[in-house]
Amino acid sequence: MQMVSFEKAMTYRYPESVVLVNSCDGQGKPNSMAVGWSTVASYNPPLYAICLNRTCYTLELIRRQKQFVVSFPGVGLEQCIEYVGTHSGRDVCDKLDVAGLKVIEAALVRPPLLADCLINLECCLESETDAGDHIMILGRVLAVHLNDSVPDRLMNFGESRYAPAVASR
Ligand SMILES: Cc1cc2nc3c(=O)[nH]c(=O)nc-3n(C[C@H](O)[C@H](O)[C@H](O)COP(=O)(O)O)c2cc1C
């Protein structure tokens, strides 16, 4: 046993969940980013938490519009995750189109659902908490969509490696 830094220890945390967080601006133009630091926070009421770095465009959009969608990506979205996880919507026009993400209109919020995702959670902003170098956003889940034609959701194995979350792998 040896003492190591927290950052070093966290390089051993994989596999890690990855979700896509979709938001939009005042004109309804959508944006999406990859988020590894997320979790269900409560069933009753239904709350889902995501941790966002202070400079990402998504945080600005969620603060302005008070709405977002959390999508659990399925197999085949590996390159889309990499793209939206390494390019900011502040710098790229039509980020979702360039990433190749197919959108579907949501039922209750303006940001879109993603077609090739297993689960889409429509959320409104419940609260935000200062979490050091990140902001923890708590979303109240307003509607949930399951796409059972997507067989497996993807997990992040680090260093741009993704694999389906199935027990046999
Ligand atoms: C697999 C993966 C996981 C990521 N997890 C997070 C995360 O949990 N929180 C975060 O703030 N950024 C995370 N990022 C980085 C953001 O997705 C990235 O900064 C993105 O460009 C922000 O886009 P935006 O400025 O359009 O909102 C992750 C990136 C990847 C590839």
Side-chain angles (χ1 to χ4, degrees):
M1 209 65 97
Q2 55 173 312
M3 299 270 280
V4 296
S5 68
F6 181 56
E7 286 82 354
K8 166 91 174 152
M10 290 305 102
T11 64
Y12 291 86
R13 73 185 185 275
Y14 300 105
E16 178 177 78
S17 151
V18 59
V19 299
L20 298 172
V21 174
N22 317 315
S23 51
C24 71
D25 67 13
Q27 282 69 52
K29 184 179 168 187
N31 190 52
S32 185
M33 73 177 277
V35 169
W37 300 356
S38 84
T39 182
V40 57
S42 165
Y43 276 130
N44 187 21
L47 299 172
Y48 197 87
I50 55 176
C51 291
L52 303 184
N53 76 75
R54 289 163 181 277
T55 60
C56 70
Y57 186 44
T58 298
L59 178 60
E60 186 183 323
L61 293 177
I62 291 175
R63 281 174 166 162
R64 278 202 257 146
Q65 302 299 321
K66 318 278 186 221
Q67 297 181 334
F68 57 99
V69 170
V70 178
S71 307
F72 292 6
V75 174
L77 293 190
E78 294 85 342
Q79 286 180 356
C80 304
I81 295 168
E82 279 295 303
Y83 185 81
V84 301
T86 53
H87 295 77
S88 176
R90 264 200 205 92
D91 310 323
V92 182
C93 222
D94 301 322
K95 187 173 169 185
L96 279 82
D97 282 350
V98 179
L101 286 168
K102 280 180 262 157
V103 300
I104 299 174
E105 202 174 320
L108 302 175
V109 299
R110 282 183 92 194
L113 314 180
L114 296 181
D116 299 314
C117 286
L118 180 63
I119 292 284
N120 281 277
L121 306 175
E122 296 188 34
C123 300
C124 65
L125 177 60
E126 177 81 5
S127 65
E128 73 164 76
T129 307
D130 196 317
D133 52 18
H134 281 58
I135 299 288
M136 198 175 80
I137 293 286
L138 203 54
R140 182 177 283 247
V141 180
L142 304 175
V144 180
H145 306 262
L146 168 68
N147 180 354
D148 51 17
S149 68
V150 176
D152 294 310
R153 67 171 297 198
L154 283 176
M155 297 295 283
N156 177 12
F157 282 77
E159 295 169 354
S160 302
R161 290 177 299 126
Y162 301 91
V166 287
S168 57
R169 282 171 202 265

